Amino acid sequence: MEQSFLKKLYQAHRNARQIPSPEEVCQLINELLQLLFPELANRDFHRFREFEHSFQTFRLKLGQILEVTAASSVLDAEAIEQNFVERLPHIHALLIKDAEAICQGDPAAISATEVIRTYPGFYAIAIYRMAHALHQLKVPMIPRMLAEYAHGKTGIDIHPAARIGESFCIDHGTGIVIGETVEIGNEVKIYQGVTLGALSIKKEMAQTKRHPTIGDRVIIYAGATILGGDTLIGHDSVVGGNVWITRSLPPYSRIYYKADNLAKAPRKTDPSNTSSNPSSNKAAK
């Protein structure tokens, strides 16, 4: 290896802007979730002063991370920290509604506590709402770090710039993709494998609305794909599984995939018929 190559790499390190560690960022947000929800906490607080101290420690760590992020920009780290903290009551209220929506929307859910503690859909939404708040405050890098962290843990990919209303329910969730300019109304329910994406991936369209808008109380079943910035799914509609949509639907629509050409081939043997199953007859003797 030539010395010139090593010097080039060294200079790149010297010139690189400071970026906080993704591990540190994600650990901090997990600590915040543990403060917001006792269901996620790994310790008991016996005095208010203990809890207050933990929250102030979180604020200190957040401020330090934001200072690193702001070092190479014009961001006011202290102002962002204060603004983010002031948004926490609203974020918490939204997440309570999300947990209740998931609990009501999933017959298998026993309680909102179970949803908060164990459901990947709730976790993905929680990380999204934190990342979205930081994105709104124009914090670089960190929102995407959080989004990709949640994506890796849950299989649910929500861009931090997407706009999602109240009482959002993700059922199962694996394979869900929600793009940057998606807008989702209130009381929407989405199943696994749903894609809310763009019709085109041309770079020159980066600043345009490329992803669909989903109205209030829409249900989107597993495997559905909805594409395009001009595509609007009207409120109270139901989108069936495995459909492909690139045009708008009026309110109260019902659209589903109809398989006209499916055929069921007869089995060569009926495993329930022991008279034609030699192994079954032998086992019965």
Side-chain angles (χ1 to χ4, degrees):
M1 184 185 299
E2 293 185 7
Q3 194 77 3
S4 60
F5 178 65
L6 289 179
K7 289 182 178 180
K8 181 180 179 180
L9 292 179
Y10 168 73
Q11 194 60 46
H13 279 269
R14 294 277 296 174
N15 296 337
R17 66 175 182 171
Q18 287 186 293
I19 301 174
S21 160
E23 292 78 12
E24 185 180 7
V25 169
C26 297
Q27 180 181 345
L28 181 63
I29 292 301
N30 279 325
E31 290 176 7
L32 175 57
L33 287 175
Q34 291 176 19
L35 291 171
L36 292 177
F37 297 100
E39 296 90 341
L40 298 174
N42 56 12
R43 60 164 292 183
D44 295 326
F45 295 99
H46 301 289
R47 298 177 180 84
F48 174 72
R49 289 181 62 184
E50 293 179 46
F51 186 83
E52 186 178 32
H53 175 72
S54 292
F55 185 75
Q56 293 304 326
T57 300
F58 156 77
R59 286 199 63 168
L60 176 61
K61 292 179 180 178
L62 175 63
Q64 291 170 340
I65 287 175
L66 290 172
E67 285 174 5
V68 172
T69 307
S72 57
S73 67
V74 295
L75 293 176
D76 184 338
E78 186 174 345
I80 291 173
E81 175 201 332
Q82 181 65 32
N83 199 315
F84 180 76
V85 169
E86 289 175 355
R87 295 182 184 213
L88 288 179
H90 177 64
I91 293 172
H92 182 260
L94 285 175
L95 289 174
I96 291 294
K97 290 183 178 181
D98 295 329
E100 291 172 348
I102 293 172
C103 186
Q104 294 172 7
D106 182 2
I110 296 173
S111 65
T113 295
E114 181 188 47
V115 168
I116 292 169
R117 181 70 180 181
T118 67
Y119 274 47
F122 175 80
Y123 185 79
I125 296 169
I127 295 295
Y128 154 76
R129 295 215 184 272
M130 303 293 180
H132 182 67
L134 292 169
H135 172 80
Q136 288 181 314
L137 293 171
K138 303 187 184 306
V139 177
M141 300 292 292
I142 291 178
R144 286 308 299 263
M145 288 181 187
L146 293 172
E148 293 308 320
Y149 174 72
H151 184 195
K153 286 185 67 70
T154 66
I156 299 168
D157 184 1
I158 308 177
H159 195 288
R163 296 167 59 185
I164 300 177
E166 298 179 358
S167 301
F168 184 44
C169 174
I170 289 179
D171 199 332
H172 299 292
T174 304
I176 285 176
V177 177
I178 299 176
E180 180 182 13
T181 60
V182 166
E183 296 178 39
I184 296 176
N186 299 323
E187 300 178 47
V188 170
K189 184 175 184 179
I190 295 181
Y191 286 82
Q192 68 273 15
V194 167
T195 297
L196 304 180
L199 273 171
S200 173
I201 56 172
K202 294 179 180 179
K203 192 65 177 178
E204 55 266 30
M205 296 184 66
Q207 302 304 315
T208 64
K209 188 175 187 326
R210 310 181 306 281
H211 305 90
T213 298
I214 311 299
D216 294 341
R217 297 174 299 280
V218 169
I219 300 174
I220 308 174
Y221 282 98
T225 297
I226 305 174
L227 306 178
D230 294 328
T231 303
L232 167 63
I233 306 300
H235 63 80
D236 297 285
S237 293
V238 175
V239 177
N242 297 317
V243 300
W244 180 280
I245 299 175
T246 58
R247 58 182 176 82
S248 296
L249 299 176
Y252 301 102
S253 294
R254 300 291 184 270
I255 186 166
Y256 59 93
Y257 171 73
K258 184 176 181 181
D260 292 325
N261 298 318
L262 291 181
K264 183 178 180 181
R267 299 187 63 170
K268 293 182 179 179
T269 60
D270 183 355
S272 64
N273 185 351
T274 57
S275 62
S276 62
N277 190 335
S279 62
S280 296
N281 289 335
K282 184 176 180 180
K285 288 182 180 180

